[in-house]
Amino acid sequence: MVIAGCVLLCASCACGRGKSGGADSDSVCHRESGEEVVSSPDLAFKELSGPVKSAVLEFFSLDNPDEISADSVSYDDEGRVRGLVSYYRSGRDRTLASDFRFDYTSEGEMLPAPDRVTGGNLEARIGRDGLGRIVDFVCELSEDPENGDEGAYREEYSWDEYDRLKSYELTGWEWTARTTYSYDAQGRRSKAVTVSSDIGFESTDTQTYSYKAFDSHGNWTEREVKVVSEQDEDGVKSRHTSVRIERRRIHYR
């Protein structure tokens, strides 16, 4: 399942500490007029840095390389998210899964964004902490959120002391998934463990990352992910190992 994560209400350039590894020095982003943004909570949320205009992440399993999932993110001049799009490609067919386009008030506050795929029935709202980091992303019925909807979901995030994602919890209609992240000495994501549950189904996926390529800005452009999945479906247990390839096309200003 591919669900777009988002980011909101960015206090222009509230970059936080931006540390990787055990370094003591803080890096704070100050933006002067005409100066390019190289770091922001929205960029860090997608493991990006530099004057990024947009990025497209495509990923597929080596077991089925023709089935490709993709997440696309675009940023404004302040390093704030403007668009989040998810889609699937199967052969020549392309299916749009979600399409959020965010606008900001004159005070810099992000407005709720209707999902343009569902005709505006679902609306995305995002919450942040005092450092401008995303802590929750809620997608629900825009007119009657209390009524609920099978397509509605909620994402909650926590961050570590180095302003990296520590955990991610996704809750849907009758299912939930929680992921915890680990990082290497260079501050790159090295491992993720996802525990999922649904009616009559539970699974634990352990994902190990291996980096293959980087661009001139130091952003990774290709990595390989080994996934060990242990499942229990109605008491029947199974174990499966697969390899996922993740590739990014990053466009800079």
Side-chain angles (χ1 to χ4, degrees), residues 14-21 23 25-29 39-40 44 131 133 160-164 186-187:
C15 297
R17 287 184 288 274
K19 295 180 283 185
S20 63
S25 62
D26 291 353
S27 80
V28 180
C29 178
S39 180
S40 72
L131 294 176
R133 304 174 301 190
D160 67 13
E161 59 183 314
Y162 304 119
D163 291 334
R164 304 172 304 202
Q186 287 73 44

Short mmCIF file of all heavy atoms in Angstrom, two decimals, residues 14-21 23 25-29 39-40 44 131 133 160-164 186-187:
data_model
loop_
_atom_site.label_atom_id
_atom_site.label_comp_id
_atom_site.label_asym_id
_atom_site.label_seq_id
_atom_site.Cartn_x
_atom_site.Cartn_y
_atom_site.Cartn_z
N ALA A 14 12.20 26.53 9.61
CA ALA A 14 12.46 25.96 10.94
C ALA A 14 13.13 24.62 10.77
O ALA A 14 12.51 23.58 10.81
CB ALA A 14 11.15 25.81 11.71
N CYS A 15 14.45 24.62 10.58
CA CYS A 15 15.18 23.40 10.22
C CYS A 15 15.47 22.52 11.40
O CYS A 15 15.88 21.39 11.23
CB CYS A 15 16.49 23.76 9.53
SG CYS A 15 16.23 24.63 8.00
N GLY A 16 15.38 23.00 12.62
CA GLY A 16 15.75 22.17 13.76
C GLY A 16 17.26 21.99 13.80
O GLY A 16 18.01 22.81 13.31
N ARG A 17 17.70 20.84 14.36
CA ARG A 17 19.12 20.64 14.55
C ARG A 17 19.79 20.02 13.33
O ARG A 17 20.95 20.24 13.09
CB ARG A 17 19.37 19.79 15.80
CG ARG A 17 19.13 20.56 17.07
CD ARG A 17 19.47 19.73 18.28
NE ARG A 17 18.50 18.67 18.49
CZ ARG A 17 17.39 18.79 19.16
NH1 ARG A 17 17.06 19.95 19.66
NH2 ARG A 17 16.57 17.79 19.32
N GLY A 18 19.08 19.15 12.60
CA GLY A 18 19.63 18.60 11.37
C GLY A 18 20.90 17.81 11.55
O GLY A 18 21.75 17.77 10.68
N LYS A 19 21.12 17.15 12.71
CA LYS A 19 22.35 16.42 12.96
C LYS A 19 22.23 15.01 12.44
O LYS A 19 21.18 14.42 12.37
CB LYS A 19 22.66 16.39 14.46
CG LYS A 19 22.96 17.76 15.04
CD LYS A 19 23.26 17.70 16.50
CE LYS A 19 22.02 17.54 17.34
NZ LYS A 19 22.25 17.59 18.77
N SER A 20 23.36 14.41 12.09
CA SER A 20 23.40 13.00 11.73
C SER A 20 24.55 12.37 12.49
O SER A 20 25.64 12.92 12.59
CB SER A 20 23.60 12.82 10.21
OG SER A 20 24.84 13.34 9.81
N GLY A 21 24.31 11.19 13.05
CA GLY A 21 25.32 10.57 13.87
C GLY A 21 25.37 11.23 15.22
O GLY A 21 24.38 11.70 15.76
N ALA A 23 27.29 13.96 16.19
CA ALA A 23 27.92 15.28 16.21
C ALA A 23 27.22 16.20 17.18
O ALA A 23 26.02 16.14 17.38
CB ALA A 23 27.90 15.88 14.81
N SER A 25 27.47 19.69 16.95
CA SER A 25 27.12 20.97 16.36
C SER A 25 25.73 20.96 15.78
O SER A 25 25.31 19.99 15.18
CB SER A 25 28.13 21.32 15.26
OG SER A 25 28.09 20.35 14.24
N ASP A 26 25.02 22.08 15.99
CA ASP A 26 23.69 22.25 15.42
C ASP A 26 23.81 22.97 14.08
O ASP A 26 24.69 23.79 13.89
CB ASP A 26 22.80 23.10 16.34
CG ASP A 26 22.47 22.34 17.61
OD1 ASP A 26 22.81 21.15 17.72
OD2 ASP A 26 21.89 22.97 18.50
N SER A 27 22.88 22.67 13.14
CA SER A 27 22.84 23.42 11.89
C SER A 27 21.45 24.02 11.77
O SER A 27 20.47 23.31 11.72
CB SER A 27 23.16 22.53 10.70
OG SER A 27 22.06 21.78 10.31
N VAL A 28 21.39 25.34 11.75
CA VAL A 28 20.12 26.04 11.68
C VAL A 28 20.05 26.76 10.35
O VAL A 28 21.01 27.36 9.90
CB VAL A 28 19.99 27.05 12.84
CG1 VAL A 28 18.65 27.78 12.76
CG2 VAL A 28 20.13 26.35 14.18
N CYS A 29 18.87 26.67 9.72
CA CYS A 29 18.71 27.25 8.39
C CYS A 29 18.23 28.70 8.49
O CYS A 29 17.18 28.96 9.03
CB CYS A 29 17.71 26.41 7.60
SG CYS A 29 17.37 27.03 5.97
N SER A 39 17.72 23.20 3.50
CA SER A 39 17.22 22.29 4.52
C SER A 39 15.92 22.85 5.09
O SER A 39 15.77 24.05 5.24
CB SER A 39 18.24 22.11 5.64
OG SER A 39 17.76 21.22 6.63
N SER A 40 14.98 21.96 5.37
CA SER A 40 13.71 22.34 6.00
C SER A 40 13.08 21.06 6.53
O SER A 40 13.45 19.96 6.12
CB SER A 40 12.78 23.01 4.98
OG SER A 40 12.27 22.06 4.05
N ALA A 44 13.56 17.19 5.04
CA ALA A 44 14.05 16.10 5.89
C ALA A 44 13.03 14.97 5.98
O ALA A 44 13.40 13.79 6.08
CB ALA A 44 14.35 16.63 7.30
N LEU A 131 8.92 22.62 16.33
CA LEU A 131 10.07 22.78 15.43
C LEU A 131 9.65 22.73 13.97
O LEU A 131 10.50 22.73 13.08
CB LEU A 131 11.11 21.69 15.71
CG LEU A 131 11.78 21.75 17.08
CD1 LEU A 131 12.73 20.57 17.28
CD2 LEU A 131 12.53 23.06 17.25
N ARG A 133 8.14 20.21 12.51
CA ARG A 133 8.19 18.85 11.97
C ARG A 133 6.80 18.24 11.95
O ARG A 133 6.01 18.44 12.88
CB ARG A 133 9.14 17.98 12.82
CG ARG A 133 10.53 18.55 12.93
CD ARG A 133 11.41 17.75 13.88
NE ARG A 133 10.86 17.71 15.24
CZ ARG A 133 11.52 17.24 16.29
NH1 ARG A 133 12.76 16.79 16.15
NH2 ARG A 133 10.96 17.21 17.49
N ASP A 160 13.61 11.64 16.25
CA ASP A 160 14.67 11.43 17.23
C ASP A 160 15.41 12.74 17.50
O ASP A 160 15.05 13.79 16.97
CB ASP A 160 15.63 10.31 16.81
CG ASP A 160 16.46 10.67 15.57
OD1 ASP A 160 16.48 11.86 15.18
OD2 ASP A 160 17.09 9.77 14.99
N GLU A 161 16.44 12.69 18.32
CA GLU A 161 17.16 13.91 18.71
C GLU A 161 17.94 14.54 17.57
O GLU A 161 18.39 15.69 17.66
CB GLU A 161 18.12 13.59 19.86
CG GLU A 161 19.16 12.54 19.51
CD GLU A 161 20.05 12.20 20.68
OE1 GLU A 161 20.52 13.14 21.35
OE2 GLU A 161 20.27 11.00 20.91
N TYR A 162 18.11 13.80 16.46
CA TYR A 162 18.84 14.32 15.31
C TYR A 162 17.89 14.75 14.19
O TYR A 162 18.29 14.89 13.04
CB TYR A 162 19.82 13.27 14.79
CG TYR A 162 20.79 12.78 15.83
CD1 TYR A 162 20.82 11.44 16.20
CD2 TYR A 162 21.66 13.66 16.46
CE1 TYR A 162 21.70 10.99 17.17
CE2 TYR A 162 22.55 13.23 17.43
CZ TYR A 162 22.56 11.88 17.78
OH TYR A 162 23.44 11.45 18.75
N ASP A 163 16.62 14.96 14.51
CA ASP A 163 15.61 15.39 13.55
C ASP A 163 15.44 14.40 12.40
O ASP A 163 15.28 14.78 11.24
CB ASP A 163 15.93 16.78 12.99
CG ASP A 163 15.78 17.86 14.06
OD1 ASP A 163 15.00 17.64 15.00
OD2 ASP A 163 16.45 18.90 13.95
N ARG A 164 15.47 13.10 12.75
CA ARG A 164 15.20 12.04 11.80
C ARG A 164 13.94 11.30 12.25
O ARG A 164 13.65 11.24 13.44
CB ARG A 164 16.37 11.05 11.72
CG ARG A 164 17.69 11.69 11.37
CD ARG A 164 18.84 10.72 11.49
NE ARG A 164 18.93 10.11 12.80
CZ ARG A 164 20.05 9.57 13.29
NH1 ARG A 164 21.16 9.58 12.58
NH2 ARG A 164 20.06 9.02 14.49
N GLN A 186 26.40 7.53 9.06
CA GLN A 186 26.27 8.68 8.17
C GLN A 186 24.88 9.33 8.25
O GLN A 186 24.59 10.27 7.51
CB GLN A 186 26.55 8.27 6.72
CG GLN A 186 28.01 7.99 6.41
CD GLN A 186 28.47 6.67 7.00
OE1 GLN A 186 27.78 5.67 6.92
NE2 GLN A 186 29.67 6.68 7.59
N GLY A 187 24.02 8.82 9.12
CA GLY A 187 22.68 9.37 9.27
C GLY A 187 21.70 8.87 8.22
O GLY A 187 20.59 9.40 8.10
#
